[in-house]
Amino acid sequence: MTVNVDRQNSVVDGLRDIGYAAGRIDSVLDAPITTTPEWGEFLTSWERLVLDPFMADGGDYRIRRYSEFDCTADSVHLLPHRAYRQSKQINRLNGGVERLFEPFEDGVANGPVVRALLSWCARRLDAVEGRPATWYAQCFQNRILARSAKEGQPTPEGIHRDGVDYVFTVVVDRRGVVGGESSLYATQVDGGPGERLVSVTLEPPGDFLFNDDDITLHGVSPLTASVVGGEGYRDTFIAVLTRRP
C-alpha cells in the first residue's frame, strides 16, 4: 500500500484523526532539503556509525548513534549526553538495561538537517494538540545491515510501542536490500497489536512515517540482501517525541 501526504494540514489531520501520517519530507518542509549539500553531509555521517553493543539476541546487524534534544516550533537544544533507557515491559528484547550509545557527531547534532526535521515535528505536533509545547526528542541514526546469509532486523523486539507520545521515522538511504516494510497496528485494550492500519515501504531520500505511539504499535519486516552473496543496508533517522510537562 502506498500512502502519500503532500500538505502540512494532511500530516496534522492524519495524526489527529487516524493516528499516523506518511509522505515525502521535501513535500512538507518549507523548501526541499534532500537535494542540498547539507543533506549530503548528513547522509555521509551514516558511514561513521558505531556497532550497537547491547543487542540481547547477539546480533551485529545494527550500527547507530543516539542523542537527545529539546525542541520547539522555532528552537532545537542539544541535551547533555546520557544513556537510553527503556523498561523491559516496553522493550522485551533490550529493555531494562542502560544503553550508553555513542552520541551524534557535533556537525550532525548542531547541523541544519536535524534542526529542520525536529522543528518541523514540533510545529506539526503543536498543531495536532492545539497548543505550543517543548518536545523531548530521543533521536537515533540507525543503519540495519543485511548480509548474504543473515537478515537485518529493523525492529528486533517485534511489533511494539516505544513508550513515548509520537514516533517519527525518515529513511535517509537504502541500498542492496529487499523487505523493510513498515506497518502500524491499532493498540488493543491489553496493549497488544490489533488491526493492521497501514503497511508501506519507505524509500530514500526522505520518505517518512509519523505515528501516535499511544494508539498505534509499529514494526518493520526483516531485510535481506537483494543479490545472493551480497550485502546491503537501510539507513533511518528516528525521533521519539514526548511532550514536556
Side-chain angles (χ1 to χ4, degrees):
M1 179 177 181
T2 300
V3 180
N4 292 305
V5 172
D6 292 320
R7 297 171 300 162
Q8 300 279 14
N9 61 340
S10 295
V11 174
V12 173
D13 291 345
L15 285 168
R16 187 162 48 207
D17 297 342
I18 59 175
Y20 68 89
R24 178 63 63 91
I25 197 67
D26 279 348
S27 70
V28 295
L29 292 177
D30 294 337
I33 195 171
T34 65
T35 55
T36 64
E38 291 79 10
W39 180 273
E41 294 173 4
F42 182 61
L43 175 65
T44 60
S45 70
W46 263 258
E47 301 301 324
R48 300 184 296 275
L49 303 187
V50 181
L51 181 68
D52 182 343
F54 299 103
M55 296 299 298
D57 63 359
D60 61 355
Y61 52 81
R62 183 162 72 186
I63 59 176
R64 64 179 2 178
R65 289 181 183 270
Y66 170 75
S67 286
E68 299 180 353
F69 303 81
D70 274 340
C71 55
T72 68
D74 54 14
S75 69
V76 175
H77 175 64
L78 176 65
L79 298 174
H81 191 55
R82 65 174 186 169
Y84 181 60
R85 301 171 178 87
Q86 282 183 309
S87 70
K88 199 72 173 178
Q89 181 180 9
I90 290 293
N91 188 328
R92 295 168 299 191
L93 179 66
N94 294 322
V97 176
E98 290 198 351
R99 291 180 279 167
L100 186 61
F101 300 113
E102 290 296 315
F104 285 14
E105 295 173 338
D106 289 345
V108 175
N110 296 301
V113 175
V114 165
R115 291 172 181 275
L117 294 175
L118 293 181
S119 288
W120 176 81
C121 286
R123 289 194 296 273
R124 296 304 92 207
L125 295 180
D126 286 354
V128 169
E129 301 209 349
R131 57 194 175 105
T134 296
W135 296 93
Y136 172 48
Q138 298 168 279
C139 298
F140 296 91
Q141 292 179 275
N142 281 353
R143 170 171 286 182
I144 303 299
L145 303 164
R147 302 183 179 96
S148 57
K150 190 181 297 185
E151 290 183 330
Q153 302 288 342
T155 51
E157 63 271 65
I159 299 168
H160 67 287
R161 61 184 298 263
D162 286 322
V164 297
D165 292 341
Y166 296 92
V167 179
F168 173 73
T169 302
V170 60
V171 170
V172 176
D173 202 4
R174 176 188 167 107
R175 296 180 186 272
V177 293
V178 295
E181 182 180 63
S182 300
S183 297
L184 296 176
Y185 302 83
T187 302
Q188 298 191 111
V189 175
D190 64 1
E195 175 191 2
R196 185 168 66 174
L197 303 173
V198 66
S199 292
V200 59
T201 300
L202 302 175
E203 299 288 349
D207 276 6
F208 71 83
L209 186 61
F210 208 169
N211 61 285
D212 184 327
D213 194 53
D214 188 48
I215 63 173
T216 66
L217 292 92
H218 59 278
V220 183
S221 65
L223 298 170
T224 58
S226 58
V227 176
V228 175
E231 296 185 358
Y233 57 84
R234 177 179 183 261
D235 294 347
T236 53
F237 173 82
I238 300 171
V240 297
L241 299 120
T242 304
R243 174 187 283 277
R244 288 286 194 189

